[in-house]
Amino acid sequence: GTITTSSANMRYIRRGNVVYFKSQILITNNGTGAGALQMTVPIAQVGSYGTVSTGLQRVPTGYTVYGWLDGGGDTTMSIKFYNDTYPGANGAVIELTGFYEVT
């Protein structure tokens, strides 16, 4: 599916081989959005292991979300609810923090 209207903000800092990030996704109109939210990270992850980050859908549910960044140079994080379902909704505010390894 496709989200009709959304915006996102991310702050990050690189310390050596580690990137720490904090992001916020605002979904005004979810449209036909489904599956997983996709977020691009600023620097590709290295190594063969993936990284799990955690966060919260602050509005409307308050449920926990997780982000999965696959290993091997991936730059797209998939975000879902704790129970592996789609976290998007009209008016949703999703915040996620984490860190991952880079070269």
Side-chain angles (χ1 to χ4, degrees):
T2 303
I3 296 174
T4 304
T5 310
S6 67
S7 62
N9 296 296
M10 177 184 284
R11 297 183 80 160
Y12 72 95
I13 188 168
R14 180 179 179 162
R15 298 274 166 99
N17 288 350
V18 178
V19 171
Y20 300 88
F21 72 91
K22 178 179 182 179
S23 62
Q24 182 182 67
I25 301 166
L26 308 169
I27 300 174
T28 306
N29 185 336
N30 189 61
T32 60
L37 291 175
Q38 303 294 311
M39 178 178 77
T40 302
V41 296
I43 304 169
Q45 176 172 318
V46 299
S48 57
Y49 298 109
T51 298
V52 177
S53 299
T54 60
L56 187 68
Q57 186 205 59
R58 288 193 311 115
V59 177
T61 65
Y63 293 159
T64 303
V65 296
Y66 73 90
W68 172 252
L69 182 60
D70 216 354
D74 202 1
T75 58
T76 303
M77 181 174 283
S78 296
I79 303 168
K80 292 186 174 185
F81 274 131
Y82 66 95
N83 62 358
D84 209 33
T85 59
Y86 179 68
N90 290 336
V93 178
I94 299 166
E95 295 184 357
L96 193 72
T97 60
F99 60 92
Y100 60 96
E101 183 183 7
V102 297
T103 57

